[in-house]
Amino acid sequence: CGAFCFSCVECWVSTDMDECCLSSPSVATRTLYCTGYNMLGSCDCTPTMCCPMCVPRQLKRDINQRKDGPVL
């Protein structure tokens, strides 16, 4: 789904983070997510600039893993 409907995945991620899906671009979403989980060392804008369609899919996968159990 992420490859065919980029905006859908972006909206799902924003909804999971209790944000408005219409006003949250990928860079802001990634930064908010990283700071919320103290992932400051791994949060930069390079992935967003290189492959903007990959970032929401990566965030959604991480959110799902955190829902299922602790991420090691």
Side-chain angles (χ1 to χ4, degrees):
C1 180
F4 300 107
C5 188
F6 168 74
S7 58
C8 293
V9 177
E10 181 73 34
C11 193
W12 290 335
V13 169
S14 297
T15 302
D16 287 343
M17 295 173 53
D18 295 324
E19 296 291 321
C20 177
C21 65
L22 299 177
S23 63
S24 184
S26 294
V27 175
T29 304
R30 182 175 170 82
T31 302
L32 182 65
Y33 187 79
C34 290
T35 55
Y37 285 105
N38 293 324
M39 298 166 45
L40 301 176
S42 63
C43 185
D44 61 10
C45 63
T46 304
T48 307
M49 299 303 167
C50 294
C51 185
M53 292 177 56
C54 296
V55 172
R57 295 180 1 204
Q58 178 189 30
L59 290 176
K60 183 63 178 162
R61 184 173 49 248
D62 194 65
I63 288 169
N64 290 343
Q65 288 176 347
R66 289 181 189 277
K67 285 180 183 178
D68 292 340
V71 175
L72 303 175

